[in-house]
Amino acid sequence: MPKPVQNIIIAGAGGNVGLPILEECLKASLKVSVLTRPGSTSKFPDIVKVFTTDYSPASLALAFQGQDVVLSLLGLSAIGDQQYALIEAAVKAGVKRFFPSEFGLDTASAQVLAAVPPFRVRAELIDTIKAKQAAGSPMEYTAVVAGLFLDWGFFVGFLGLDVEQRTAELWDEGNVPFTATNLSVVARTVVKILTDAAAYEASRNAYIYTGSVTMTQTELLAATEKATDAKFAVTRIESQKLIAESSAKLAGGDFAAMLPLVQAVGFARFHGEALTDLRKYGLFNEKFGITDGSIEEMVATMLKHRFELPYVRYIAPTP
Ligand SMILES: NC(=O)c1ccc[n+]([C@@H]2O[C@H](COP(=O)([O-])OP(=O)(O)OC[C@H]3O[C@@H](n4cnc5c(N)ncnc54)[C@H](OP(=O)(O)O)[C@@H]3O)[C@@H](O)[C@H]2O)c1
């Protein structure tokens, strides 16, 4: 069966999400090019064609010639202006499908956008693509919602555990279910869409939802204590207090306050709802046969292979 698309260009291919997706695209023999900024420290294998861009229309027009798909995997500080520039250039170049830099919370949810207002730009980007479609553009979109990253979050501490210090911060009772996805599952799912006609069709103009596991913080802590044979010291976060403080700081311009709000959408309830329990949507990766192990198996694997993982450069330079 021919692949639904052949030529892929990735913006942000050297990042946390970019590296595993780039690797998986190459394994699938897709023809991959990357976009990178002048002076960037990102490094790419020789087989990859590299386009340096200042995100000007001219530089993007050159890079997007003949591309079927633009994968935007840009970091959080670049999800606004740079992505509008990518969309404009992609439509002009006749790109078939655009993947915006999502890969996190469910930004199709009004409640999530109310809790983390800077993510409104993500919904606005989708609206921009829809407006272009209404004006005749055939460019489609796929927005990948992955909940929280499991492996990345486990080691950078975003899931509330500090494996080195044997400490844990649990939000309230630590009993809110949230969906988390390993980066390998994110990468395999994206490549499935690019290489399998049914997956390509099923993700046309859609938000798709991925998950390796849905669990509570308490369940993750129990699995980690078992795997490390250690008892972690637990502190409790009062969710309502931290949400109120962080929302006020964010409104006052402190962008860093966004991160606890992202955690809150994972670990706290909003009007009684667990907003990052993505099972209700049906997990796209599972529908297409991409699964992971149990929590216990995944925690054991993460602890065993931690220094081989691509994102280790962000967290632990020496074993
Ligand atoms: N679900 C989760 O738990 C979770 C965790 C982390 C990230 N995410 C999401 O995943 C997506 C990708 O994040 P990431 O952590 O992989 O990104 P990242 O590693 O921080 O950055 C990826 C790339 O973006 C480019 N970039 C960074 N700042 C830029 C700027 N100001 N202007 C233009 N390009 C810039 C850089 O590429 P060059 O240097 O090559 O130009 C960089 O290598 C984001 O949407 C983020 O919100 C989700």
Side-chain angles (χ1 to χ4, degrees):
M1 278 281 276
K3 295 186 177 85
V5 287
Q6 292 292 336
N7 299 321
I8 318 295
I9 188 158
I10 307 179
N16 294 304
V17 185
L19 278 172
I21 290 184
L22 174 61
E23 196 179 287
E24 204 63 31
C25 284
L26 293 175
K27 271 202 253 166
S29 303
L30 287 163
K31 200 157 163 256
V32 187
S33 307
V34 299
L35 274 180
T36 189
R37 293 164 299 168
S40 165
T41 54
S42 297
K43 301 244 181 310
F44 307 107
D46 292 342
I47 190 173
V48 168
K49 184 159 186 191
V50 179
F51 289 93
T52 303
T53 179
D54 56 2
Y55 287 83
S56 62
S59 66
L60 294 175
L62 188 68
F64 286 1
Q65 261 176 34
Q67 300 294 350
D68 296 321
V69 171
V70 173
L71 288 180
S72 171
L73 311 177
L74 294 176
L76 211 46
S77 62
I79 60 170
D81 294 349
Q82 289 85 346
Q83 290 207 102
Y84 280 110
L86 293 179
I87 289 170
E88 287 298 327
V91 168
K92 284 200 180 117
V95 164
K96 292 178 183 156
R97 193 170 291 190
F98 187 87
F99 288 66
S101 189
E102 291 268 348
F103 306 97
L105 301 181
D106 178 15
T107 54
S109 152
Q111 278 182 285
V112 169
L113 299 184
V116 194
F119 280 158
R120 286 195 182 124
V121 71
R122 296 190 167 184
E124 287 160 10
L125 282 160
I126 299 289
D127 288 344
T128 299
I129 296 173
K130 286 182 179 166
K132 291 196 178 291
Q133 289 173 345
S137 159
M139 190 176 81
E140 301 160 351
Y141 70 87
T142 299
V144 180
V145 174
L148 302 180
F149 290 153
L150 178 57
D151 41 11
W152 178 87
F154 187 77
F155 287 118
V156 302
F158 205 69
L159 300 181
L161 302 187
D162 185 329
V163 180
E164 298 302 330
Q165 300 301 319
R166 308 284 201 243
T167 57
E169 282 185 345
L170 300 190
W171 287 60
D172 304 320
E173 299 306 314
N175 63 2
V176 176
F178 64 94
T179 302
T181 313
N182 277 318
L183 283 165
S184 61
V185 166
V186 173
R188 285 159 62 205
T189 304
V190 168
V191 169
K192 185 78 179 166
I193 292 170
L194 301 178
T195 55
D196 178 312
Y200 190 72
E201 183 61 34
S203 56
R204 180 189 307 279
N205 292 328
Y207 284 80
I208 63 136
Y209 296 82
T210 67
S212 294
V213 64
T214 300
M215 63 190 164
T216 65
Q217 278 195 297
T218 302
E219 287 165 345
L220 179 62
L221 173 61
T224 310
E225 287 187 330
K226 192 171 162 204
T228 53
D229 195 21
K231 194 80 194 144
F232 282 40
V234 174
T235 50
R236 302 269 168 192
I237 289 178
E238 268 183 67
S239 64
Q240 293 315 312
K241 187 163 171 271
L242 188 53
I243 290 168
E245 285 168 5
S246 303
S247 298
K249 281 188 197 163
L250 187 60
D254 177 359
F255 197 64
M258 190 176 160
L259 296 181
L261 291 174
V262 173
Q263 288 177 305
V265 173
F267 307 142
R269 285 186 194 275
F270 286 75
H271 304 292
E273 252 198 87
L275 297 178
T276 304
D277 182 345
L278 304 179
R279 292 173 296 188
K280 55 185 171 283
Y281 299 109
L283 297 176
F284 189 93
N285 54 298
E286 290 184 354
K287 275 188 221 157
F288 286 92
I290 299 168
T291 53
D292 250 322
S294 65
I295 304 178
E296 285 74 18
E297 284 163 351
M298 282 188 279
V299 167
T301 304
M302 286 192 290
L303 289 167
K304 188 160 171 224
H305 296 292
R306 53 186 305 187
F307 296 112
E308 297 156 27
L309 297 171
Y311 45 82
V312 158
R313 66 199 166 91
Y314 288 90
I315 50 165
T318 49

